[in-house]
Amino acid sequence: MTALLEVEDLRTSFKVESGRFQAVDGIDLRLEAGRTLGVVGESGCGKSVTALSIMGLVASPPGEVAAAKIRFEGRDLLALSADAMRDLRGDRLAMIFQEPMTSLNPAFTVGDQIAEAIQRHRGLDRAAAWARAVEMLRRVHIPAAEARAHDYPHKLSGGMRQRVMIAMALALDPKLLIADEPTTALDVTVQAQILDLLRRLRAESGMAILIITHDLGVIAELADDVTVMYAGKVVERAPVEALFEAPQHPYTIGLLGSIPRLEREQARLDAIEGVVPNPLSPPAGCRFHPRCPFAEARCREAEPGLGPVGPSHFAACWRTPLP
Amino acid sequence: MTAPLLEARGLVKHFPVRRGLFGRVSGQVRAVDEIDFTLAKGETLALVGESGCGKSTTGRLVLRLIEPTAGEVRFEGQAVFDLSDGQVRALRRKMQIVFQDPYASLNPRMTVGEILSEPLALHDLAPAAERPARVERLLREVGLAPDHARRYPHEFSGGQRQRIGIARALAVEPALIVCDEPVSALDVSIQAQVLNLLKALQGRFGLAYVFIAHDLAVVRHVADRVAVMYLGKIVEQAPTKALFAAPRHPYTRALLSAIPVPSPKARRNRVILEGDVPSPIDPPPGCRFHTRCAYAVPRCKTEAPALVERAGHAVACHRADELPAESPVPRAERGPGAERLARLQAAFSQGRE
Ligand SMILES: Nc1ncnc2c1ncn2[C@@H]1O[C@H](COP(=O)(O)OP(=O)(O)OP(=O)(O)O)[C@@H](O)[C@H]1O
Ligand SMILES: Nc1ncnc2c1ncn2[C@@H]1O[C@H](COP(=O)(O)OP(=O)(O)O)[C@@H](O)[C@H]1O
Ligand code: SF4
Ligand code: SF4
Ligand SMILES: [Mg+2]
Ligand SMILES: [Mg+2]
């Protein structure tokens, strides 16, 4: 079966004053139609750059996207013209961002913004596009959608804006929705509403979702498969049950230990010390070794490759399988 | 029983709503509406609720950064709102605040050394010659390096900036720190580091915290007692253990139910709280939560429930005794997988296997 999205050996670099660095350093992703893939990792690990690279939204210069393959519905996105890519975006392939205001235009009402996108891609007349926009606002559970369609974005709460973003992204029935930290700036209650909404819309439309987050709790709620990224690389990949039941990479284990648990008291959280390395000077050997309690001499010298550790389960660590 | 470190009684803060800059007052934002709480030395009280429930306003009242509409706050027995300006300055030595957005609260043109020296000078805590050594000690205390003193806030990550904000609060050796969503803007991993730091500092210096948050999982980890706020009111207040063992207010239960559990097996049939918090300008009559409550009955629309305490656990709901027994707090997982994971995770705390 051919995948909906296939990414092979994606390498995205940026030129800065002191040289060029690799923000994403050779990663593979694969997503089947209707499935949900979670990409998780700390801030600065290259998650957003991965998403923007797929969407063709990395500004060049300073960015440069290289890959052996980026295929969506069998089409080679690397070979598409800028115009063809623009037609695809917002249509078959849509994206929502952490901060909804970055993609909402403060000068237009939310109804106008959604209707405009529908008109441009589908050639509907104004009235039909507006009706569809209101219908979309209703589908994302915006109360009094007809009235709200006339509001400007700044009048809406954070949760409402994120709903509007989702309505806009889904207005054209995309096959793939890329959601980059869609709930990170929100209260837990609004986060629960948005995750529930994404689950429901996914069931209705059969779209696939690529969800990006630093929170494994969100991954557990939504994803079928998980890719864990650290410092521009994939360090673990597994079906969601296997990842949570038998995580193999120390980084994944550390991320799980960082989460304060609702169901038990803890004197102390098992936090990962330190921070993600500066991509201009990544550590030699395994990039996680300065923060890894399992590190050995070889970890500082040679870089481990991504190898099988179970059915459809891969990890990049010299010490796996960990007992 | 010894007197509490901090005590709030009948605390109210209404902000006038004006039409235009100098227009007539057309209403009141009822940000905080008659709340009571106490806090002992070395203890942590969490204030929890959604955005706009009045948590930050409460924190600012405690520090007298704003004046109340009514009510009283006592700190070490002193009535905070009766103090003169000079006395308020002395009070700031004992009560500090740490904000959610560390960047906005640090002066970008000052080095970290200058930022940390400022309170020492302001409160005459150390002569100029001793300040560098004090700054160095503060930096170590919060897990930063002495040479960080020469750098500027923009050179630090979000988590490091939060450490700087904590060091600044610690500089005056306070008895109480109001932590206003100190980890809400941080990645889960950095959040864990900062939470561990706050707990360690509390143990070392006997600090009391008013800890403001919207995530009850974080609260379970840091607080001794929890006050859940909704639209300016405390709707449930209890020791942390009691609250998590048997949450009694429908709003508390909804907040608990909203937290994602990092286990795909636990994907729950949750009660999703629909909609946003209503406007505090014109809060719903009766029980303020009735517009979103799954258990509301006609009485809830007209009659405001009183906060009733039983064995230290206070709740304001007409139907608190009729709610289903099943708790929205998931059960802890057991079995070989969970044991293996706990063992491996502990390596991160020990720094080795
Ligand atoms: N200076 C002010 N003037 C008018 N209204 C205010 C002022 N400060 C706060 N409010 C209002 O009072 C209510 C409570 O605000 P507060 O900041 O205390 O909420 P919060 O619980 O801290 O929320 P958040 O989670 O968003 O920080 C809100 O409706 C807010 O808009
Ligand atoms: N436009 C850009 N120019 C230069 N560096 C960038 C740019 N966008 C991202 N980066 C860098 O690339 C790395 C990965 O960033 P990002 O993908 O945003 O991380 P994440 O989404 O995982 O938090 C970071 O070091 C970030 O600073
Ligand atoms: S390879 Fe070594 S340093 Fe890297 S994650 Fe595995 S044990 Fe840790
Ligand atoms: S008093 Fe009524 S509306 Fe309020 S929380 Fe209890 S059941 Fe719900
Ligand atoms: Mg990002
Ligand atoms: Mg606040």
PDB file of all heavy atoms in Angstrom, chain A residues 42-43 157 187 189 193 220-221 223 247 262-263 269-270 272 274 319, chain B residues 50-51 187 189 193 196 199 220 267 270 273 275-276 330 340 349 353:
ATOM      1  N   GLU A  42      11.356  17.995  22.533  1.00  0.00           N
ATOM      2  CA  GLU A  42      11.403  19.300  23.193  1.00  0.00           C
ATOM      3  C   GLU A  42      11.494  20.418  22.171  1.00  0.00           C
ATOM      4  O   GLU A  42      11.847  20.209  21.008  1.00  0.00           O
ATOM      5  CB  GLU A  42      12.629  19.370  24.111  1.00  0.00           C
ATOM      6  CG  GLU A  42      12.499  18.550  25.364  1.00  0.00           C
ATOM      7  CD  GLU A  42      13.855  18.405  26.020  1.00  0.00           C
ATOM      8  OE1 GLU A  42      14.664  17.606  25.520  1.00  0.00           O
ATOM      9  OE2 GLU A  42      14.102  19.099  26.999  1.00  0.00           O
ATOM     10  N   SER A  43      11.262  21.612  22.663  1.00  0.00           N
ATOM     11  CA  SER A  43      11.382  22.812  21.862  1.00  0.00           C
ATOM     12  C   SER A  43      12.796  22.883  21.256  1.00  0.00           C
ATOM     13  O   SER A  43      13.775  22.629  21.939  1.00  0.00           O
ATOM     14  CB  SER A  43      11.125  23.967  22.830  1.00  0.00           C
ATOM     15  OG  SER A  43      11.339  25.152  22.221  1.00  0.00           O
ATOM     16  N   SER A 157     -11.780  34.491  22.044  1.00  0.00           N
ATOM     17  CA  SER A 157     -10.848  33.931  23.023  1.00  0.00           C
ATOM     18  C   SER A 157      -9.851  33.024  22.298  1.00  0.00           C
ATOM     19  O   SER A 157     -10.049  32.658  21.140  1.00  0.00           O
ATOM     20  CB  SER A 157     -11.616  33.117  24.059  1.00  0.00           C
ATOM     21  OG  SER A 157     -12.147  31.956  23.453  1.00  0.00           O
ATOM     22  N   ASP A 187      -5.536  26.636  27.948  1.00  0.00           N
ATOM     23  CA  ASP A 187      -5.929  25.997  29.202  1.00  0.00           C
ATOM     24  C   ASP A 187      -6.206  24.508  28.984  1.00  0.00           C
ATOM     25  O   ASP A 187      -6.614  24.125  27.892  1.00  0.00           O
ATOM     26  CB  ASP A 187      -7.286  26.584  29.662  1.00  0.00           C
ATOM     27  CG  ASP A 187      -7.103  27.711  30.648  1.00  0.00           C
ATOM     28  OD1 ASP A 187      -5.980  28.212  30.780  1.00  0.00           O
ATOM     29  OD2 ASP A 187      -8.096  28.085  31.279  1.00  0.00           O
ATOM     30  N   THR A 189      -8.719  22.764  29.869  1.00  0.00           N
ATOM     31  CA  THR A 189     -10.105  22.481  29.474  1.00  0.00           C
ATOM     32  C   THR A 189     -10.298  22.760  27.983  1.00  0.00           C
ATOM     33  O   THR A 189     -10.962  21.994  27.289  1.00  0.00           O
ATOM     34  CB  THR A 189     -11.103  23.357  30.248  1.00  0.00           C
ATOM     35  OG1 THR A 189     -10.662  24.707  30.199  1.00  0.00           O
ATOM     36  CG2 THR A 189     -11.218  22.918  31.677  1.00  0.00           C
ATOM     37  N   GLN A 193     -11.149  20.245  24.747  1.00  0.00           N
ATOM     38  CA  GLN A 193     -12.173  20.520  23.725  1.00  0.00           C
ATOM     39  C   GLN A 193     -11.585  20.372  22.315  1.00  0.00           C
ATOM     40  O   GLN A 193     -12.192  19.765  21.435  1.00  0.00           O
ATOM     41  CB  GLN A 193     -12.715  21.946  23.865  1.00  0.00           C
ATOM     42  CG  GLN A 193     -13.530  22.203  25.125  1.00  0.00           C
ATOM     43  CD  GLN A 193     -13.843  23.689  25.309  1.00  0.00           C
ATOM     44  OE1 GLN A 193     -13.477  24.519  24.487  1.00  0.00           O
ATOM     45  NE2 GLN A 193     -14.514  24.023  26.388  1.00  0.00           N
ATOM     46  N   ALA A 220      -0.694  10.521  23.516  1.00  0.00           N
ATOM     47  CA  ALA A 220      -1.457   9.359  23.957  1.00  0.00           C
ATOM     48  C   ALA A 220      -2.936   9.510  23.639  1.00  0.00           C
ATOM     49  O   ALA A 220      -3.644   8.541  23.403  1.00  0.00           O
ATOM     50  CB  ALA A 220      -1.262   9.140  25.464  1.00  0.00           C
ATOM     51  N   GLU A 221      -3.410  10.752  23.629  1.00  0.00           N
ATOM     52  CA  GLU A 221      -4.822  11.029  23.362  1.00  0.00           C
ATOM     53  C   GLU A 221      -5.202  10.818  21.904  1.00  0.00           C
ATOM     54  O   GLU A 221      -6.347  10.539  21.589  1.00  0.00           O
ATOM     55  CB  GLU A 221      -5.148  12.480  23.713  1.00  0.00           C
ATOM     56  CG  GLU A 221      -5.121  12.779  25.184  1.00  0.00           C
ATOM     57  CD  GLU A 221      -6.402  12.342  25.869  1.00  0.00           C
ATOM     58  OE1 GLU A 221      -7.466  12.352  25.231  1.00  0.00           O
ATOM     59  OE2 GLU A 221      -6.312  11.971  27.054  1.00  0.00           O
ATOM     60  N   ALA A 223      -2.708   9.934  18.891  1.00  0.00           N
ATOM     61  CA  ALA A 223      -1.898   9.325  17.827  1.00  0.00           C
ATOM     62  C   ALA A 223      -2.082   7.815  17.703  1.00  0.00           C
ATOM     63  O   ALA A 223      -2.403   7.132  18.672  1.00  0.00           O
ATOM     64  CB  ALA A 223      -0.426   9.645  18.064  1.00  0.00           C
ATOM     65  N   PRO A 247       8.776   1.821  26.165  1.00  0.00           N
ATOM     66  CA  PRO A 247       9.663   2.761  25.474  1.00  0.00           C
ATOM     67  C   PRO A 247      11.098   2.265  25.566  1.00  0.00           C
ATOM     68  O   PRO A 247      11.477   1.683  26.576  1.00  0.00           O
ATOM     69  CB  PRO A 247       9.462   4.069  26.247  1.00  0.00           C
ATOM     70  CG  PRO A 247       8.985   3.659  27.593  1.00  0.00           C
ATOM     71  CD  PRO A 247       8.186   2.408  27.376  1.00  0.00           C
ATOM     72  N   LEU A 262      -1.380  12.660  37.274  1.00  0.00           N
ATOM     73  CA  LEU A 262      -2.611  12.917  38.003  1.00  0.00           C
ATOM     74  C   LEU A 262      -2.908  11.791  38.988  1.00  0.00           C
ATOM     75  O   LEU A 262      -3.509  11.995  40.034  1.00  0.00           O
ATOM     76  CB  LEU A 262      -3.734  12.983  36.958  1.00  0.00           C
ATOM     77  CG  LEU A 262      -5.025  13.676  37.273  1.00  0.00           C
ATOM     78  CD1 LEU A 262      -4.770  15.071  37.780  1.00  0.00           C
ATOM     79  CD2 LEU A 262      -5.876  13.723  36.012  1.00  0.00           C
ATOM     80  N   GLU A 263      -2.469  10.578  38.635  1.00  0.00           N
ATOM     81  CA  GLU A 263      -2.932   9.404  39.376  1.00  0.00           C
ATOM     82  C   GLU A 263      -2.022   8.993  40.533  1.00  0.00           C
ATOM     83  O   GLU A 263      -2.289   8.010  41.190  1.00  0.00           O
ATOM     84  CB  GLU A 263      -3.165   8.234  38.416  1.00  0.00           C
ATOM     85  CG  GLU A 263      -1.938   7.685  37.728  1.00  0.00           C
ATOM     86  CD  GLU A 263      -1.579   8.409  36.434  1.00  0.00           C
ATOM     87  OE1 GLU A 263      -1.930   9.587  36.279  1.00  0.00           O
ATOM     88  OE2 GLU A 263      -0.916   7.781  35.584  1.00  0.00           O
ATOM     89  N   LEU A 269       9.921  14.821  40.408  1.00  0.00           N
ATOM     90  CA  LEU A 269       9.746  14.323  39.045  1.00  0.00           C
ATOM     91  C   LEU A 269      11.093  13.850  38.518  1.00  0.00           C
ATOM     92  O   LEU A 269      12.122  14.454  38.814  1.00  0.00           O
ATOM     93  CB  LEU A 269       9.206  15.441  38.155  1.00  0.00           C
ATOM     94  CG  LEU A 269       7.801  15.928  38.499  1.00  0.00           C
ATOM     95  CD1 LEU A 269       7.488  17.224  37.765  1.00  0.00           C
ATOM     96  CD2 LEU A 269       6.774  14.864  38.152  1.00  0.00           C
ATOM     97  N   ASP A 270      11.066  12.753  37.748  1.00  0.00           N
ATOM     98  CA  ASP A 270      12.316  12.273  37.166  1.00  0.00           C
ATOM     99  C   ASP A 270      12.624  13.089  35.917  1.00  0.00           C
ATOM    100  O   ASP A 270      12.394  12.651  34.792  1.00  0.00           O
ATOM    101  CB  ASP A 270      12.188  10.786  36.829  1.00  0.00           C
ATOM    102  CG  ASP A 270      12.008   9.946  38.089  1.00  0.00           C
ATOM    103  OD1 ASP A 270      12.733  10.198  39.066  1.00  0.00           O
ATOM    104  OD2 ASP A 270      11.146   9.053  38.090  1.00  0.00           O
ATOM    105  N   ILE A 272      14.663  15.266  32.988  1.00  0.00           N
ATOM    106  CA  ILE A 272      15.916  15.214  32.224  1.00  0.00           C
ATOM    107  C   ILE A 272      16.663  16.511  32.533  1.00  0.00           C
ATOM    108  O   ILE A 272      16.125  17.592  32.322  1.00  0.00           O
ATOM    109  CB  ILE A 272      15.645  15.168  30.705  1.00  0.00           C
ATOM    110  CG1 ILE A 272      14.599  14.108  30.369  1.00  0.00           C
ATOM    111  CG2 ILE A 272      16.922  14.950  29.933  1.00  0.00           C
ATOM    112  CD1 ILE A 272      14.138  14.154  28.909  1.00  0.00           C
ATOM    113  N   GLY A 274      19.459  19.538  32.039  1.00  0.00           N
ATOM    114  CA  GLY A 274      20.069  20.183  30.876  1.00  0.00           C
ATOM    115  C   GLY A 274      19.067  20.562  29.809  1.00  0.00           C
ATOM    116  O   GLY A 274      17.862  20.506  30.015  1.00  0.00           O
ATOM    117  N   ARG A 319      22.365   1.173  23.745  1.00  0.00           N
ATOM    118  CA  ARG A 319      22.048   0.318  24.894  1.00  0.00           C
ATOM    119  C   ARG A 319      20.730  -0.443  24.739  1.00  0.00           C
ATOM    120  O   ARG A 319      20.382  -1.219  25.629  1.00  0.00           O
ATOM    121  CB  ARG A 319      21.966   1.159  26.165  1.00  0.00           C
ATOM    122  CG  ARG A 319      23.206   1.953  26.511  1.00  0.00           C
ATOM    123  CD  ARG A 319      24.228   1.133  27.293  1.00  0.00           C
ATOM    124  NE  ARG A 319      23.659   0.243  28.285  1.00  0.00           N
ATOM    125  CZ  ARG A 319      23.516   0.538  29.571  1.00  0.00           C
ATOM    126  NH1 ARG A 319      23.887   1.714  30.018  1.00  0.00           N
ATOM    127  NH2 ARG A 319      23.024  -0.344  30.402  1.00  0.00           N
TER     128      ARG A 319
ATOM    129  N   GLU B  50      -9.682  28.011  35.255  1.00  0.00           N
ATOM    130  CA  GLU B  50      -9.422  28.402  33.875  1.00  0.00           C
ATOM    131  C   GLU B  50      -9.031  29.866  33.787  1.00  0.00           C
ATOM    132  O   GLU B  50      -9.193  30.631  34.737  1.00  0.00           O
ATOM    133  CB  GLU B  50     -10.686  28.184  33.035  1.00  0.00           C
ATOM    134  CG  GLU B  50     -11.006  26.737  32.782  1.00  0.00           C
ATOM    135  CD  GLU B  50     -12.430  26.603  32.289  1.00  0.00           C
ATOM    136  OE1 GLU B  50     -13.360  26.728  33.107  1.00  0.00           O
ATOM    137  OE2 GLU B  50     -12.610  26.391  31.091  1.00  0.00           O
ATOM    138  N   SER B  51      -8.605  30.241  32.605  1.00  0.00           N
ATOM    139  CA  SER B  51      -8.243  31.618  32.326  1.00  0.00           C
ATOM    140  C   SER B  51      -9.396  32.551  32.705  1.00  0.00           C
ATOM    141  O   SER B  51     -10.549  32.277  32.380  1.00  0.00           O
ATOM    142  CB  SER B  51      -7.950  31.722  30.830  1.00  0.00           C
ATOM    143  OG  SER B  51      -7.454  32.977  30.540  1.00  0.00           O
ATOM    144  N   ASP B 187       8.070  23.849  28.131  1.00  0.00           N
ATOM    145  CA  ASP B 187       7.986  22.460  27.698  1.00  0.00           C
ATOM    146  C   ASP B 187       7.852  21.536  28.903  1.00  0.00           C
ATOM    147  O   ASP B 187       8.381  21.838  29.965  1.00  0.00           O
ATOM    148  CB  ASP B 187       9.313  22.084  27.032  1.00  0.00           C
ATOM    149  CG  ASP B 187       9.255  22.214  25.539  1.00  0.00           C
ATOM    150  OD1 ASP B 187       8.379  22.938  25.055  1.00  0.00           O
ATOM    151  OD2 ASP B 187      10.086  21.591  24.877  1.00  0.00           O
ATOM    152  N   SER B 189       9.437  18.942  29.735  1.00  0.00           N
ATOM    153  CA  SER B 189      10.722  18.560  30.337  1.00  0.00           C
ATOM    154  C   SER B 189      11.293  19.683  31.199  1.00  0.00           C
ATOM    155  O   SER B 189      11.801  19.449  32.292  1.00  0.00           O
ATOM    156  CB  SER B 189      11.715  18.177  29.242  1.00  0.00           C
ATOM    157  OG  SER B 189      11.891  19.270  28.367  1.00  0.00           O
ATOM    158  N   GLN B 193      11.891  20.315  35.501  1.00  0.00           N
ATOM    159  CA  GLN B 193      13.094  20.844  36.162  1.00  0.00           C
ATOM    160  C   GLN B 193      12.721  21.991  37.109  1.00  0.00           C
ATOM    161  O   GLN B 193      13.204  22.061  38.239  1.00  0.00           O
ATOM    162  CB  GLN B 193      14.086  21.390  35.124  1.00  0.00           C
ATOM    163  CG  GLN B 193      14.690  20.346  34.197  1.00  0.00           C
ATOM    164  CD  GLN B 193      15.572  20.993  33.117  1.00  0.00           C
ATOM    165  OE1 GLN B 193      15.657  22.217  33.030  1.00  0.00           O
ATOM    166  NE2 GLN B 193      16.213  20.169  32.309  1.00  0.00           N
ATOM    167  N   ASN B 196      10.813  20.784  40.228  1.00  0.00           N
ATOM    168  CA  ASN B 196      11.749  20.184  41.190  1.00  0.00           C
ATOM    169  C   ASN B 196      12.531  21.270  41.925  1.00  0.00           C
ATOM    170  O   ASN B 196      12.748  21.183  43.136  1.00  0.00           O
ATOM    171  CB  ASN B 196      12.722  19.236  40.479  1.00  0.00           C
ATOM    172  CG  ASN B 196      12.077  17.894  40.151  1.00  0.00           C
ATOM    173  OD1 ASN B 196      11.024  17.556  40.684  1.00  0.00           O
ATOM    174  ND2 ASN B 196      12.698  17.137  39.274  1.00  0.00           N
ATOM    175  N   LYS B 199      10.393  22.996  44.588  1.00  0.00           N
ATOM    176  CA  LYS B 199      10.222  22.149  45.774  1.00  0.00           C
ATOM    177  C   LYS B 199      11.490  22.082  46.604  1.00  0.00           C
ATOM    178  O   LYS B 199      11.436  22.141  47.836  1.00  0.00           O
ATOM    179  CB  LYS B 199       9.815  20.732  45.355  1.00  0.00           C
ATOM    180  CG  LYS B 199       8.323  20.607  45.129  1.00  0.00           C
ATOM    181  CD  LYS B 199       7.933  19.176  44.871  1.00  0.00           C
ATOM    182  CE  LYS B 199       7.368  18.512  46.100  1.00  0.00           C
ATOM    183  NZ  LYS B 199       6.727  17.220  45.780  1.00  0.00           N
ATOM    184  N   ARG B 220      -1.105  18.732  41.949  1.00  0.00           N
ATOM    185  CA  ARG B 220      -0.991  17.566  42.826  1.00  0.00           C
ATOM    186  C   ARG B 220       0.451  17.388  43.269  1.00  0.00           C
ATOM    187  O   ARG B 220       0.736  16.950  44.377  1.00  0.00           O
ATOM    188  CB  ARG B 220      -1.447  16.302  42.084  1.00  0.00           C
ATOM    189  CG  ARG B 220      -1.123  15.046  42.860  1.00  0.00           C
ATOM    190  CD  ARG B 220      -1.962  13.865  42.487  1.00  0.00           C
ATOM    191  NE  ARG B 220      -2.093  13.004  43.668  1.00  0.00           N
ATOM    192  CZ  ARG B 220      -2.759  11.882  43.696  1.00  0.00           C
ATOM    193  NH1 ARG B 220      -3.388  11.485  42.629  1.00  0.00           N
ATOM    194  NH2 ARG B 220      -2.823  11.169  44.790  1.00  0.00           N
ATOM    195  N   ARG B 267      -7.305   6.272  27.487  1.00  0.00           N
ATOM    196  CA  ARG B 267      -8.164   7.206  26.764  1.00  0.00           C
ATOM    197  C   ARG B 267      -9.554   7.104  27.355  1.00  0.00           C
ATOM    198  O   ARG B 267     -10.202   6.065  27.288  1.00  0.00           O
ATOM    199  CB  ARG B 267      -8.215   6.867  25.270  1.00  0.00           C
ATOM    200  CG  ARG B 267      -7.010   7.386  24.541  1.00  0.00           C
ATOM    201  CD  ARG B 267      -7.053   7.118  23.048  1.00  0.00           C
ATOM    202  NE  ARG B 267      -5.700   7.316  22.531  1.00  0.00           N
ATOM    203  CZ  ARG B 267      -5.320   7.062  21.292  1.00  0.00           C
ATOM    204  NH1 ARG B 267      -6.192   6.609  20.422  1.00  0.00           N
ATOM    205  NH2 ARG B 267      -4.089   7.274  20.928  1.00  0.00           N
ATOM    206  N   ARG B 270     -14.332  11.091  28.709  1.00  0.00           N
ATOM    207  CA  ARG B 270     -14.265  12.221  29.616  1.00  0.00           C
ATOM    208  C   ARG B 270     -15.469  13.131  29.462  1.00  0.00           C
ATOM    209  O   ARG B 270     -16.180  13.104  28.474  1.00  0.00           O
ATOM    210  CB  ARG B 270     -12.976  12.978  29.377  1.00  0.00           C
ATOM    211  CG  ARG B 270     -12.795  13.423  27.958  1.00  0.00           C
ATOM    212  CD  ARG B 270     -11.680  14.422  27.892  1.00  0.00           C
ATOM    213  NE  ARG B 270     -10.576  14.032  28.758  1.00  0.00           N
ATOM    214  CZ  ARG B 270      -9.383  13.761  28.302  1.00  0.00           C
ATOM    215  NH1 ARG B 270      -9.154  13.788  27.028  1.00  0.00           N
ATOM    216  NH2 ARG B 270      -8.418  13.442  29.119  1.00  0.00           N
ATOM    217  N   LEU B 273     -15.802  19.865  29.169  1.00  0.00           N
ATOM    218  CA  LEU B 273     -16.449  21.097  29.582  1.00  0.00           C
ATOM    219  C   LEU B 273     -16.637  21.942  28.340  1.00  0.00           C
ATOM    220  O   LEU B 273     -15.671  22.330  27.702  1.00  0.00           O
ATOM    221  CB  LEU B 273     -15.520  21.800  30.573  1.00  0.00           C
ATOM    222  CG  LEU B 273     -16.114  22.783  31.543  1.00  0.00           C
ATOM    223  CD1 LEU B 273     -17.303  22.189  32.253  1.00  0.00           C
ATOM    224  CD2 LEU B 273     -15.038  23.180  32.537  1.00  0.00           C
ATOM    225  N   GLY B 275     -17.684  25.153  25.897  1.00  0.00           N
ATOM    226  CA  GLY B 275     -17.716  26.612  25.922  1.00  0.00           C
ATOM    227  C   GLY B 275     -16.613  27.241  26.755  1.00  0.00           C
ATOM    228  O   GLY B 275     -15.727  26.571  27.260  1.00  0.00           O
ATOM    229  N   ASP B 276     -16.686  28.554  26.867  1.00  0.00           N
ATOM    230  CA  ASP B 276     -15.708  29.325  27.624  1.00  0.00           C
ATOM    231  C   ASP B 276     -16.312  29.745  28.960  1.00  0.00           C
ATOM    232  O   ASP B 276     -17.517  29.642  29.170  1.00  0.00           O
ATOM    233  CB  ASP B 276     -15.316  30.590  26.848  1.00  0.00           C
ATOM    234  CG  ASP B 276     -14.514  30.251  25.593  1.00  0.00           C
ATOM    235  OD1 ASP B 276     -13.768  29.256  25.628  1.00  0.00           O
ATOM    236  OD2 ASP B 276     -14.646  30.976  24.590  1.00  0.00           O
ATOM    237  N   PRO B 330      -7.647   8.972  37.070  1.00  0.00           N
ATOM    238  CA  PRO B 330      -7.413   7.596  36.612  1.00  0.00           C
ATOM    239  C   PRO B 330      -6.623   6.801  37.650  1.00  0.00           C
ATOM    240  O   PRO B 330      -5.954   7.365  38.501  1.00  0.00           O
ATOM    241  CB  PRO B 330      -6.588   7.786  35.333  1.00  0.00           C
ATOM    242  CG  PRO B 330      -5.979   9.132  35.446  1.00  0.00           C
ATOM    243  CD  PRO B 330      -6.881   9.959  36.297  1.00  0.00           C
ATOM    244  N   ARG B 340       9.194  -1.582  35.246  1.00  0.00           N
ATOM    245  CA  ARG B 340      10.405  -1.350  34.457  1.00  0.00           C
ATOM    246  C   ARG B 340      10.570   0.142  34.188  1.00  0.00           C
ATOM    247  O   ARG B 340      11.650   0.712  34.372  1.00  0.00           O
ATOM    248  CB  ARG B 340      10.300  -2.114  33.129  1.00  0.00           C
ATOM    249  CG  ARG B 340      11.339  -1.678  32.090  1.00  0.00           C
ATOM    250  CD  ARG B 340      11.131  -2.387  30.744  1.00  0.00           C
ATOM    251  NE  ARG B 340      12.041  -1.878  29.737  1.00  0.00           N
ATOM    252  CZ  ARG B 340      11.761  -0.885  28.909  1.00  0.00           C
ATOM    253  NH1 ARG B 340      10.582  -0.267  28.983  1.00  0.00           N
ATOM    254  NH2 ARG B 340      12.645  -0.484  28.014  1.00  0.00           N
ATOM    255  N   SER B 349      16.726  10.816  37.877  1.00  0.00           N
ATOM    256  CA  SER B 349      16.847  11.533  39.149  1.00  0.00           C
ATOM    257  C   SER B 349      18.195  11.261  39.794  1.00  0.00           C
ATOM    258  O   SER B 349      18.782  12.125  40.437  1.00  0.00           O
ATOM    259  CB  SER B 349      15.739  11.106  40.114  1.00  0.00           C
ATOM    260  OG  SER B 349      14.546  11.753  39.769  1.00  0.00           O
ATOM    261  N   GLU B 353      22.523   4.935  36.284  1.00  0.00           N
ATOM    262  CA  GLU B 353      21.656   3.771  36.405  1.00  0.00           C
ATOM    263  C   GLU B 353      21.552   3.306  37.846  1.00  0.00           C
ATOM    264  O   GLU B 353      22.527   3.378  38.578  1.00  0.00           O
ATOM    265  CB  GLU B 353      22.214   2.626  35.574  1.00  0.00           C
ATOM    266  CG  GLU B 353      21.922   2.804  34.101  1.00  0.00           C
ATOM    267  CD  GLU B 353      22.671   1.776  33.290  1.00  0.00           C
ATOM    268  OE1 GLU B 353      22.227   0.625  33.266  1.00  0.00           O
ATOM    269  OE2 GLU B 353      23.688   2.139  32.704  1.00  0.00           O
TER     270      GLU B 353
END
